[in-house]
Amino acid sequence: SWFLLGRRRRRQGEPPLENGFLPYLGCALKFGANPLEFLKEKQKKHGHIFTCHVAGKYIHFLTDPFSYHALMRQGKHLDWKKFHFATSAKAFGHGSIDPAEGNTTENFHQTFIRTLQGNALDALIEAMMENLQYVMLQSRAPKLQSHTWVTEGLYTFCCQVMFESGFLTLFGKEFNSNNDKNLSSKQETERAHILNALENFKEFDKIFPALVAGLPIHLFKSAHSAREKLGEALLHKNLVKRDNLSELVTLRMFLNDTLSTFDDMEKAKTHVAVLWASQANTIPATFWTLFYLLKNPEAMRAATKEVRSVLESAEESVSLDGKHISLNRKQLDNMPILDSIIKEAMRLSSASMTFRVAKEDFTLHLENDFYNIRKDDIVALYPQLLHFDPEIYADPLTFKYDRFLNEKGEEKTDFYRHGRRLKHYYMPFGTGIAKCPGRLFAVHEIKQFLALIFSYFEIELVDSNVKCPSLDQSRAGLGILQPSNDVDFRYRLKCL
Ligand code: HEM
């Protein structure tokens, strides 16, 4: 009956409770409008832990970075899969991927680690290097003729280049069995298919936050049809017609076919989930990195110098005669300045949230105190609080390209708060057991993108005084935020 939808009372030993004003939505509206401000305000009022009633769920926010570790240690009371599994099924429309529910016995997390890290990563990097150059040079050739300037939105550009090359890297190229068609028209057809997939991806991605919040996809007609079309493109019968599928996709197809009872469309939707995970954060992260570089000439000089010197020691020369640059994993790993720049851009734009669901009533022990948590409550971290903490990062809203470099020019790992060294100071990829399995690949692909841009193009903002776009808060909690508006830039092929 109606009162079951009502608020609950705080019990002894529980964190301070914020019910919000609306019976069902609770704090959702205020939280949604600007989570960072909302959480800072509640932190001031209640201290380092408090409970928010958000859209029918009770979420305990831990805001003290020294508590993060305590949370990780008490993992046995907390479930990280339940929330992820349920969210994925809801958003992408496949059946439950929780082995406990009997549709599949695949351990997805294990599959991702196996195919995105270790030796598998070398192959991904190699394919991405090739595909990025194909996309930047061949696929955009008509635009680039005669070394004239091309003006475009920077976000649009990053979106097209990363989506097209990332898509080719994971899902391979269309089979070239049909000999009577000439190569370039085949490439054009392929490109049209991928750009079409990009349009569907964007249409679907727009409403992703609403799906995570629990709204049914039927409310969004065009996004629903976009998701179905992405699914159709990734049906196994279409994937088998492609060349150079990644190990990730090959293995996932095999496991779908052998360990699951999913129907064809559900199998395809598990691939849509992988496509989304591989692109949704990478695209804005690439945009922010390049944007901050274009706004900071000193950072740009340091970055281009590093790339040049790595290319020189790899004895790679840059030319436009069709011979592509190749940099392997080891060479890319030797770019501490780019690492620092990418980290700094993500520090400023990431708003991921870490969720754990309480498996049972238990007592959460923090450093100096403890709290009772009820079964099915959520314990959450919001690392943007950490990323924007002026005690940890002086002048936190300013881009400083060398913030993650030490005096020796190597990776800086010592960050302090109240004089105490932090174990967790940088968390765009989450932390603990559910940490992003694609994080190494993500950083490599952004580095590759930058190295190639610097090598082949002259590039500049149309208006060098353009204001930094604000962060679009509609995706807060879900990863890297998108810019709220695009920024014009221009580029042209270098005369090599
Ligand atoms: C999960 C961030 C790129 C594959 C996640 C999570 C975050 C994240 C925060 C959730 C972790 C948690 O809940 O604690 C990012 C960021 C990226 C990026 C910031 C780029 C800048 C990628 C790429 C791939 C990928 C390129 C694959 C090619 C995945 C997968 C999961 C995941 C498969 C789900 C893991 C699981 O549930 O087992 N990512 N990611 N990510 N990411 Fe990424």
Side-chain angles (χ1 to χ4, degrees):
S1 51
W2 67 271
F3 58 84
L4 290 178
L5 282 173
R7 308 149 193 203
R8 76 185 194 191
R9 293 241 173 87
R10 181 182 177 196
R11 290 187 201 143
Q12 181 128 41
E14 290 183 339
L17 176 63
E18 270 297 324
N19 257 319
F21 299 110
L22 303 165
Y24 180 72
L25 286 173
C27 306
L29 297 179
K30 274 184 86 185
F31 179 82
N34 192 336
L36 186 66
E37 284 316 308
F38 175 82
L39 293 175
K40 272 191 187 157
E41 188 190 310
K42 298 305 162 204
Q43 184 182 21
K44 221 181 254 162
K45 179 167 160 200
H46 298 299
H48 65 286
I49 180 168
F50 48 87
T51 310
C52 292
H53 176 203
V54 179
K57 298 241 182 321
Y58 287 88
I59 307 183
H60 308 284
F61 283 97
L62 294 189
T63 63
D64 173 14
F66 292 108
S67 296
Y68 290 9
H69 190 58
L71 181 68
M72 305 304 151
R73 273 199 326 255
Q74 291 163 79
K76 65 171 191 288
H77 301 293
L78 297 159
D79 189 325
W80 63 272
K81 291 181 184 152
K82 218 171 170 172
F83 181 83
H84 285 78
F85 287 164
T87 307
S88 184
K90 228 167 24 190
F92 299 106
H94 50 67
S96 171
I97 53 173
D98 185 345
E101 290 179 31
N103 296 321
T104 178
T105 53
E106 177 181 358
N107 178 338
F108 276 67
H109 192 65
Q110 212 48 49
T111 307
F112 294 142
I113 302 245
R114 246 175 87 179
T115 56
L116 287 167
Q117 300 177 16
N119 290 336
L121 179 59
D122 295 70
L124 283 174
I125 290 172
E126 195 179 317
M128 189 68 183
M129 198 73 193
E130 196 54 40
N131 290 326
L132 273 167
Q133 288 173 90
Y134 165 72
V135 168
M136 281 183 190
L137 301 171
Q138 267 95 328
S139 167
R140 319 194 123 235
K143 282 195 171 178
L144 293 171
Q145 267 149 20
S146 72
H147 301 273
T148 50
W149 289 103
V150 179
T151 300
E152 249 178 79
L154 187 63
Y155 194 77
T156 309
F157 176 84
C158 293
C159 216
Q160 283 190 7
V161 171
M162 291 312 260
F163 189 88
E164 197 178 340
S165 26
F167 189 98
L168 291 169
T169 300
L170 289 191
F171 297 101
K173 291 194 177 180
E174 283 171 23
F175 239 9
N176 280 333
S177 56
N178 185 355
N179 285 325
D180 50 22
K181 248 178 146 188
N182 73 45
L183 187 66
S184 81
S185 91
K186 261 185 220 150
Q187 287 177 345
E188 264 165 47
T189 315
E190 161 111 70
R191 177 153 200 258
H193 289 161
I194 296 182
L195 291 183
N196 188 8
L198 171 57
E199 287 316 305
N200 289 325
F201 172 83
K202 288 199 287 200
E203 191 70 39
F204 167 67
D205 185 45
K206 255 198 299 212
I207 62 136
F208 192 79
L211 299 179
V212 174
L215 297 180
I217 191 151
H218 302 284
L219 293 180
F220 309 96
K221 223 168 156 221
S222 53
H224 189 188
S225 113
R227 186 183 77 183
E228 300 309 298
K229 283 184 208 144
L230 284 174
E232 272 154 37
L234 301 180
L235 283 167
H236 284 199
K237 72 174 177 16
N238 294 324
L239 291 177
V240 293
K241 288 189 232 145
R242 303 180 68 88
D243 259 335
N244 295 325
L245 290 174
S246 63
E247 228 176 298
L248 167 58
V249 173
T250 316
L251 179 59
R252 290 247 39 270
M253 287 169 72
F254 175 74
L255 297 177
N256 268 341
D257 287 339
T258 52
L259 301 183
S260 87
T261 55
F262 293 143
D263 64 29
D264 290 347
M265 197 54 176
E266 283 183 300
K267 289 175 186 174
K269 283 177 174 168
T270 65
H271 301 305
V272 177
V274 170
L275 173 66
W276 185 86
S278 73
Q279 297 281 353
N281 290 305
T282 311
I283 292 169
T286 307
F287 165 83
W288 289 113
T289 309
L290 187 52
F291 175 78
Y292 282 117
L293 276 168
L294 288 167
K295 282 292 279 180
N296 292 271
E298 192 195 346
M300 183 64 106
R301 272 193 298 278
T304 45
K305 191 173 156 209
E306 181 172 74
V307 168
R308 211 177 314 124
S309 102
V310 169
L311 285 172
E312 269 163 26
S313 53
E315 296 181 1
E316 285 290 323
S317 59
V318 183
S319 74
L320 293 174
D321 59 11
K323 187 194 162 290
H324 285 175
I325 300 172
S326 82
L327 287 177
N328 60 30
R329 182 174 173 183
K330 207 162 146 227
Q331 288 154 341
L332 290 162
D333 283 338
N334 190 21
M335 296 184 170
I337 297 176
L338 288 198
D339 276 319
S340 177
I341 288 167
I342 294 167
K343 268 192 179 161
E344 178 67 346
M346 292 217 273
R347 180 187 69 80
L348 284 164
S349 57
S350 145
S352 60
M353 178 140 61
T354 295
F355 286 112
R356 300 288 186 269
V357 182
K359 287 187 203 163
E360 63 239 340
D361 290 357
F362 78 104
T363 305
L364 176 67
H365 289 264
L366 301 179
E367 253 196 339
N368 304 310
D369 41 14
F370 48 87
Y371 296 91
N372 294 333
I373 306 291
R374 299 189 208 179
K375 180 171 188 286
D376 293 327
D377 280 1
I378 293 172
V379 183
L381 310 179
Y382 198 68
Q384 204 181 30
L385 282 167
L386 176 79
H387 294 152
F388 284 0
D389 185 336
E391 264 220 58
I392 305 169
Y393 297 105
D395 214 353
L397 298 179
T398 306
F399 176 87
K400 298 185 183 175
Y401 84 92
D402 54 358
R403 211 189 269 278
F404 292 93
L405 292 175
N406 64 20
E407 315 74 53
K408 288 191 206 146
E410 293 159 355
E411 180 188 4
K412 177 176 155 84
T413 54
D414 55 325
F415 289 85
Y416 295 84
R417 188 162 187 275
H418 297 323
R420 262 179 81 188
R421 184 157 175 187
L422 287 157
K423 196 175 160 72
H424 300 286
Y425 54 87
Y426 174 75
M427 300 172 53
F429 293 109
T431 189
I433 182 147
K435 204 168 182 181
C436 173
R439 64 192 182 281
L440 302 171
F441 178 52
V443 173
H444 281 97
E445 55 182 341
I446 298 173
K447 275 186 187 170
Q448 292 174 309
F449 171 88
L450 295 175
L452 295 169
I453 291 272
F454 301 158
S455 299
Y456 289 118
F457 300 108
E458 287 177 67
I459 168 171
E460 61 191 32
L461 291 169
V462 167
D463 169 9
S464 60
N465 294 318
V466 69
K467 255 183 62 193
C468 181
S470 54
L471 298 170
D472 174 357
Q473 295 291 343
S474 64
R475 322 170 59 78
L478 297 174
I480 307 289
L481 302 184
Q482 298 176 1
S484 52
N485 57 278
D486 206 344
V487 175
D488 280 338
F489 82 118
R490 58 179 158 242
Y491 62 103
R492 65 174 174 190
L493 278 174
K494 280 185 181 168
C495 295
L496 295 166

